Amino acid sequence: MLLAVTMIASLFAAAQTPKTGTLMVRPMFGLSASSFNSEYTAAGVNIDSKFRYGCTIGAEAGYQLNRLFQPSVGLFYAQQGNKFESTSWSEPVYLEMNYLAMPILANFYVTDGIALKVGVQPGLLLNGKSGSNDYAKDFQLQIPFGISYEYSHFVFDARMVVGVTKCFDKKYRTIYADDAVNEGFTLTVGYNFEL
């Protein structure tokens, strides 16, 4: 028990908030899960939305204005979309929506090394397909929020995203659910390079 307490204390002792005036670039990569968080009925068949799992990779740049606040902006390849399942189907249907996402965040340091974050995240559709059919809007807007922990320049980040704009053009909404927005979460690890 004493060993466990010592290890936890050493982790928090090594946690550090970047120095005021520091410009940082942090490459990041990790896993994502996304779904439409909706259910609907088509031709009398109940269809459930499930998570589509994928990856996210990119980088953020941040500037430590003071001990408590760091604005940041990023550019990421983000796999989103949905998995549809129904008891009437033999296998699920995947809707793959891959974006170039640009999170613009306000990072608030509540203690050394631990930051709460919130912002906006516009995204440009790179490709969105189900089979050979294009169906998704070219632009989406999301609200990201989360928490990160920095240890010896490594940054561990857990983030939720909530969709603001609908995913589909009007002619596809009756097929793929009218109120569908991309929602989900990402878990990433990155490394702060101080410039």
Side-chain angles (χ1 to χ4, degrees), residues 1-188:
M1 193 173 193
L2 182 59
L3 179 61
V5 170
T6 305
M7 289 174 63
I8 292 170
S10 67
L11 280 176
F12 280 100
Q16 54 187 356
T17 300
K19 293 179 182 178
T20 299
T22 303
L23 177 64
M24 290 150 290
V25 174
R26 53 182 165 265
M28 302 170 71
F29 71 94
L31 303 175
S32 64
S34 176
S35 79
F36 297 152
N37 195 23
S38 63
E39 298 179 2
Y40 74 105
T41 301
V45 176
N46 290 327
I47 300 172
D48 297 326
S49 290
K50 303 293 185 181
F51 282 117
R52 179 206 175 195
Y53 296 98
C55 69
T56 184
I57 185 169
E60 286 184 340
Y63 182 76
Q64 196 71 29
L65 283 178
N66 54 47
R67 188 178 66 83
L68 300 177
F69 182 64
Q70 177 194 123
S72 66
V73 62
L75 193 63
F76 288 85
Y77 170 75
Q79 292 184 329
Q80 297 182 6
N82 193 71
K83 179 173 77 169
F84 286 119
E85 285 186 348
S86 174
T87 54
S88 302
W89 300 346
S90 59
E91 58 184 35
V93 173
Y94 289 90
L95 271 66
E96 300 175 357
M97 306 167 89
N98 303 320
Y99 291 89
L100 188 63
M102 188 176 72
I104 303 165
L105 299 173
N107 301 272
F108 301 96
Y109 284 82
V110 294
T111 187
D112 278 346
I114 297 178
L116 302 179
K117 52 192 67 198
V118 66
V120 295
Q121 180 171 292
L124 296 176
L125 186 71
L126 298 176
N127 65 300
K129 293 184 179 295
S130 175
S132 60
N133 298 318
D134 293 329
Y135 54 80
K137 285 186 172 181
D138 291 333
F139 175 83
Q140 75 170 0
L141 184 66
Q142 295 174 305
I143 303 296
F145 59 94
I147 187 170
S148 65
Y149 173 70
E150 183 175 347
Y151 174 78
S152 296
H153 296 283
F154 285 95
V155 180
F156 304 92
D157 187 290
R159 202 174 294 180
M160 299 282 297
V161 289
V162 177
V164 175
T165 55
K166 294 184 178 181
C167 293
F168 304 113
D169 291 323
K170 288 182 179 178
K171 64 180 178 179
Y172 290 110
R173 288 182 189 171
T174 55
I175 302 172
Y176 295 116
D178 182 61
D179 60 346
V181 294
N182 270 313
E183 299 181 347
F185 62 90
T186 60
L187 297 173
T188 60

